[in-house]
């Protein structure tokens, strides 16, 4: 019953969207440049029937998926290494801090010059759009592992390698998935832009051609398809769905060029920090019995991770 | 020395001699947390370490656990220097962030056994046994996020017990619990201690808790450069009654010691404040 009501309200939401569009197009704008949903859907059906729509969507998706998978496979180990070992982080920080602020869209220029308008340039661009987001989220995830998780494992007799496999990695998975999800969004932006500028096929190319020949319906079909991508392909679970895996929710920590509240902090100068459960330099640093506590910067990570935990039912004993 | 264990004859389990811990800071001024710390812990005893906040109780525990290295002094477990963390000394932490959210209660408890390569059926059996012992029967399949604060601390306790350590190190494990739950947990911990015979070092700043649990308790000076001020043998047998005259006698005595240190700490924090 509740399900039915949920789906019912969704349906009303979607219907109202199309209704508004229809009213705006037919009664308010009344221009050939803004087609009503009816004619756009009719055009979409026609393009679907003759195969061009499917072909264009397929090629764009294929580019995104290849680049996305390659970028993630590259980004996850780098992120894990950066989060785990401070020297590696210091060495790679300049790269990520510099390159991640150059939008992948801006890199289309050099990509086309270097690799032409074929698949290689698309692959390069999607990897570029993916890798930094994944790296930064993975590293932030590793860095925000609670120190006590590592210490507990040590006191239970786990080796360094075991701690990595059985504690650091699973604790980071929600962050990795969040990074991948953000990367997927970036990839869509990038591929459309890349295909607009230089490509022989794909959704972006379809948009550009339609503009060239003033096929307004075709433009709207492409836009409609782009708008529906969330519902068409969902290879990555949403953050809320990850709670099943981790027993808690993960947040988007770092987006490319965006605010990164949980930047891997530098070790601070705190004296004694007995309640500093979260450390900021990476799990491997918790292994070392050193004379310096991780500093108060860790509070940022804690603030992010805290309310996400302990959402479970609070039952009395 | 007043820090001698009450049971004579057998060699002590843990020995701390002249232990000092200095934390270096980037601002240059190093902080001496503890200095000249002497303590011997006997096998099977329940030792509570009391002190004002920031006096270095946790530092001592972290050093015995092997998470921190002393800057000076000797630390031995069964006559061998403590070099790092090991499964002979298991730690129960104050918060629940040491539990593995992605594992069920049962999997959390068998974590140590799994790391050691104990076969699945054996470790399942053992984990069930310890979950029963801490009163978590029926909660095996739940994740920590689905359990209450008290239950999470029970998982922590079961997890370390399953590893059969020589020593339990407990860092204010019940501090975050409500008063009723805490009282229940204290009672159960005492029962578990009596059943298993494991040595316990228990850190708290709750005098009542210390007297309820300990066979011996130590009060530390206010930090910095703290050490043990006094050690008290708690000679109360059986179930401890908080309204019992002898219990109250201990309470008054320990309260007096701590009160002085609270004053010292307060004056150090605000040198010009009211006396």
């Amino acid at each position: 019953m509740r399900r039915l009501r949920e789906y019912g309200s969704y349906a009303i939401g979607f219907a109202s969207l199309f209704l508004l569009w229809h009213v705006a197009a037919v009664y308010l704008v009344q221009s050939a440049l803004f087609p009503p949903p009816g004619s756009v859907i009719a055009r979409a059906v026609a393009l679907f029937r003759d195969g061009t729509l499917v072909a264009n969507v397929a090629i764009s998706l294929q580019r995104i998926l290849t680049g996305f998978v390659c970028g993630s496979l590259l980004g996850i180990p780098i992120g894990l290494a950066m989060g785990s070992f401070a020297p590696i982080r210091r060495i790679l920080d300049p790269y990520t801090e510099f390159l991640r602020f150059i939008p992948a869209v801006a890199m289309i220029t050099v990509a086309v010059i270097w690799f032409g308008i074929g698949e290689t340039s698309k692959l390069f661009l999607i990897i570029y759009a993916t890798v930094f987001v994944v790296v930064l989220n993975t590293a932030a995830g590793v860095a925000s592992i609670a120190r006590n998780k590592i210490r507990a494992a040590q006191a239970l007799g786990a080796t360094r390698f075991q701690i990595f496999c059985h504690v650091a990695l699973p604790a980071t998975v929600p962050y990795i998935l969040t990074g991948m999800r953000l990367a997927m969004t970036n990839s869509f932006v990038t591929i459309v832009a890349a295909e607009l500028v230089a490509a022989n096929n794909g959704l972006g190319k379809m948009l550009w051609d339609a503009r060239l020949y003033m096929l307004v319906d075709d433009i709207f079909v492409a836009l409609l398809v782009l708008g529906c991508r969330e519902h068409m392909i969902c290879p990555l679970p949403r953050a809320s769905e990850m709670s099943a895996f981790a027993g808690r929710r993960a947040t988007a920590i770092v987006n490319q060029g965006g605010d990164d509240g949980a930047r891997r902090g530098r070790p601070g100068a705190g004296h004694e920090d007995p309640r500093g459960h979260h450390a900021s330099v990476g799990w491997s640093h918790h292994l070392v019995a050193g004379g310096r506590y991780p500093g108060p910067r860790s509070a940022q990570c804690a603030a992010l991770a805290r309310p996400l935990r302990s959402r479970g039912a609070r039952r009395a004993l | 020395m007043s820090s001698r264990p009450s049971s004579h004859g057998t060699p002590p389990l843990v020995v701390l001699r002249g232990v000092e811990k200095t934390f270096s800071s980037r601002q240059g001024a190093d902080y001496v947390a503890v200095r000249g710390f002497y303590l011997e812990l006997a096998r099977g005893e329940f030792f509570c370490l009391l002190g004002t906040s920031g006096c270095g109780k946790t530092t001592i525990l972290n050093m015995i656990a092997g998470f921190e290295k002393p800057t000076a002094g000797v630390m031995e477990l069964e006559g061998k220097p403590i070099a790092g963390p090991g499964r002979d000394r298991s730690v129960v932490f104050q918060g629940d962030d040491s539990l593995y959210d992605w594992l069920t209660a049962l999997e959390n408890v068998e974590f140590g056994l799994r790391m050691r390569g104990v076969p699945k059926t054996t470790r399942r059996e053992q984990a069930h046994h310890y979950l029963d012992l801490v009163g978590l029967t029926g909660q095996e399949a739940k994740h920590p996020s689905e359990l209450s604060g008290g239950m999470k601390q029970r998982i922590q306790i079961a997890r370390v017990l399953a590893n059969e350590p020589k020593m339990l190190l407990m860092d204010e494990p019940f501090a975050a619990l409500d008063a009723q739950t805490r009282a229940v947990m204290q009672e159960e911990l005492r029962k578990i201690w009596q059943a298993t015979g494991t040595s316990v070092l228990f850190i708290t700043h709750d005098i009542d808790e210390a007297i309820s649990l300990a066979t011996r308790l130590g009060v530390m000076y206010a930090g910095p450069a703290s050490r043990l001020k006094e050690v008290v043998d708690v000679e109360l047998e059986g179930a401890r009654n908080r309204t019992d005259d002898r219990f109250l006698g201990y309470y008054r005595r320990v309260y007096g010691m701590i009160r002085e240190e609270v004053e010292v700490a307060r004056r150090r924090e605000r040198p010009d404040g009211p006396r």
Side-chain angles (χ1 to χ4, degrees):
Chain A
M1 189 61 210
R2 211 178 116 222
R3 264 281 159 83
L4 204 70
R5 224 180 305 148
E6 268 175 30
Y7 285 126
S9 38
Y10 264 123
I12 292 169
F14 271 109
S16 71
L17 180 72
F18 281 90
L19 190 71
L20 261 171
W21 177 8
H22 183 79
V23 168
V26 176
Y27 301 102
L28 301 176
V29 183
Q30 295 182 332
S31 156
L33 299 179
F34 188 30
S39 66
V40 171
I41 289 167
R43 181 68 187 149
V45 171
L47 286 173
F48 182 81
R49 286 239 174 92
D50 74 10
T52 46
L53 184 61
V54 178
N56 282 324
V57 170
I59 191 75
S60 291
L61 279 183
Q62 187 204 319
R63 285 168 181 157
I64 286 171
L65 284 180
T66 334
F68 172 76
V69 169
C70 293
S72 299
L73 288 177
L74 202 67
I76 293 167
I78 296 174
L80 288 172
M82 279 180 76
S84 299
F85 306 106
I88 295 181
R89 176 172 59 73
R90 283 194 291 268
I91 291 167
L92 293 181
D93 237 7
Y95 291 87
T96 57
E97 292 301 297
F98 178 73
L99 291 172
R100 80 188 176 98
F101 288 106
I102 304 174
V105 176
M107 294 297 283
I108 293 172
T109 47
V110 282
V112 171
I113 293 171
W114 290 342
F115 305 113
I117 62 165
E119 294 310 300
T120 323
S121 63
K122 309 294 174 298
L123 186 68
F124 167 80
L125 285 167
I126 300 303
I127 290 177
Y128 188 89
T130 303
V131 77
F132 296 107
V133 191
V134 173
V135 163
L136 289 169
N137 275 281
T138 306
V142 175
S144 64
I145 300 171
R147 181 174 61 192
N148 284 348
K149 281 193 171 52
I150 307 296
R151 288 188 161 179
Q154 282 184 293
L156 290 167
T159 63
R160 236 180 126 89
F161 182 66
Q162 284 177 325
I163 291 175
F164 179 77
C165 296
H166 296 283
V167 182
L169 210 50
T172 312
V173 166
Y175 293 85
I176 295 176
L177 292 179
T178 306
M180 287 170 73
R181 207 180 165 77
L182 292 169
M184 181 58 95
T185 307
N186 284 356
S187 302
F188 264 93
V189 174
T190 310
I191 200 67
V192 171
E195 286 170 354
L196 277 174
V197 175
N200 293 324
N201 42 23
L203 270 175
K205 167 75 170 162
M206 181 181 159
L207 269 170
W208 196 247
D209 283 354
R211 191 211 70 105
L212 210 60
Y213 303 117
M214 277 306 277
L215 301 167
V216 186
D217 282 352
D218 287 31
I219 293 179
F220 273 75
V221 169
L223 294 179
L224 199 65
V225 169
L226 283 170
C228 290
R229 70 171 167 85
E230 273 295 289
H231 308 282
M232 290 193 315
I233 55 143
C234 242
L236 288 170
R238 285 164 182 278
S240 58
E241 287 153 10
M242 288 189 279
S243 58
F245 174 79
R248 65 184 157 138
R249 288 176 178 223
T251 359
I253 297 295
V254 186
N255 198 352
Q256 194 158 16
D259 169 62
D260 52 355
R263 280 257 293 276
R264 291 89 47 241
R266 284 82 189 150
H271 279 315
E272 194 187 25
D273 179 21
R275 261 161 225 93
H277 300 300
H278 290 261
S280 49
V281 266
W283 64 277
S284 63
H285 274 246
H286 307 331
L287 294 169
V288 187
R292 184 173 285 143
Y293 271 89
R297 244 185 175 279
S298 52
Q300 293 173 336
C301 301
L304 275 167
R306 236 337 114 72
L308 309 169
R309 204 171 294 137
S310 72
R311 285 177 49 92
R314 289 227 163 256
R315 241 161 288 151
L317 260 151
Chain B
M1 195 70 212
S2 58
S3 60
R4 294 246 151 238
S6 48
S7 57
H8 295 284
T10 52
L13 182 66
V14 172
V15 176
L16 276 69
R17 267 199 307 273
V19 169
E20 182 185 304
K21 178 68 186 174
T22 306
F23 291 104
S24 48
S25 107
R26 286 224 169 144
Q27 273 95 40
D30 289 355
Y31 179 84
V32 183
V34 289
R35 175 178 283 160
F37 195 96
Y38 288 82
L39 179 66
E40 283 186 7
L41 297 175
R43 235 169 265 275
E45 83 167 314
F46 199 124
F47 190 92
C48 280
L49 195 56
L50 274 159
T52 58
S53 49
C55 77
K57 305 183 290 283
T58 299
T59 306
I60 293 291
L61 182 132
N62 281 343
M63 285 192 290
I64 297 176
F67 300 144
E68 306 270 355
K69 281 195 177 78
T71 31
V74 176
M75 305 191 63
E76 288 175 348
L77 178 83
E78 295 187 312
K80 288 191 260 317
I82 293 172
R87 65 178 190 83
D88 44 7
R89 289 148 288 143
S90 285
V91 185
V92 176
F93 299 89
Q94 182 186 345
D96 53 27
D97 64 349
S98 73
L99 290 173
Y100 303 126
D101 324 278
W102 55 90
L103 301 177
T104 62
L106 185 76
E107 287 163 345
N108 265 287
V109 173
E110 61 177 20
F111 185 85
L113 302 169
R114 195 166 122 223
M115 295 300 106
R116 244 186 298 155
V118 175
K120 194 167 181 170
T121 44
T122 323
R123 66 175 198 241
R124 277 277 131 102
E125 220 170 274
Q126 249 173 299
H128 274 292
H129 168 72
Y130 284 103
L131 275 170
D132 287 349
L133 191 70
V134 299
L136 277 181
T137 320
Q139 313 290 341
E140 293 89 348
K142 288 196 177 140
H143 285 84
S145 59
E146 299 170 280
L147 298 170
S148 69
M151 285 171 167
K152 283 189 237 185
Q153 290 311 77
R154 285 164 195 259
I155 300 180
Q156 276 210 63
I157 293 169
R159 182 170 71 175
V160 297
L161 289 174
N163 230 20
E164 290 172 347
K166 288 177 184 142
M167 182 163 205
L168 275 185
L169 300 168
M170 309 183 88
D171 188 1
E172 301 193 38
F174 309 144
L177 304 180
D178 64 86
Q180 283 81 24
T181 309
R182 195 185 313 157
V184 173
M185 293 297 290
Q186 287 165 358
E187 234 167 84
E188 302 217 347
L189 176 62
R190 214 173 137 75
K191 273 187 210 144
I192 289 167
W193 168 73
Q194 278 163 342
T196 57
T198 317
S199 316
V200 182
L201 173 69
F202 190 103
I203 284 182
T204 178
H205 48 229
D206 183 344
I207 302 169
D208 188 275
E209 181 168 73
I211 299 169
S212 307
L213 292 170
T215 53
R216 216 154 58 99
L217 61 85
V219 177
M220 285 177 78
Y221 283 108
S226 177
R227 62 199 156 84
L228 263 188
K229 181 182 182 181
E230 215 163 325
V231 173
V232 179
D233 288 310
V234 184
E235 282 155 347
L236 295 167
E237 44 300 302
R240 296 183 173 186
N241 185 349
R242 285 175 171 79
T243 52
D244 182 74
D245 278 343
R246 288 170 61 212
F247 189 104
L248 292 171
Y250 279 116
Y251 192 95
R252 266 192 288 275
R253 206 173 135 197
V254 177
Y255 182 81
M257 297 177 206
I258 299 230
R259 192 67 226 158
E260 288 168 27
E261 295 314 308
V262 171
E263 283 298 316
V264 172
R266 200 167 63 90
R267 256 177 274 134
R268 276 182 195 157
E269 257 167 44
R270 297 189 307 164
D272 348 304
R275 291 282 150 112

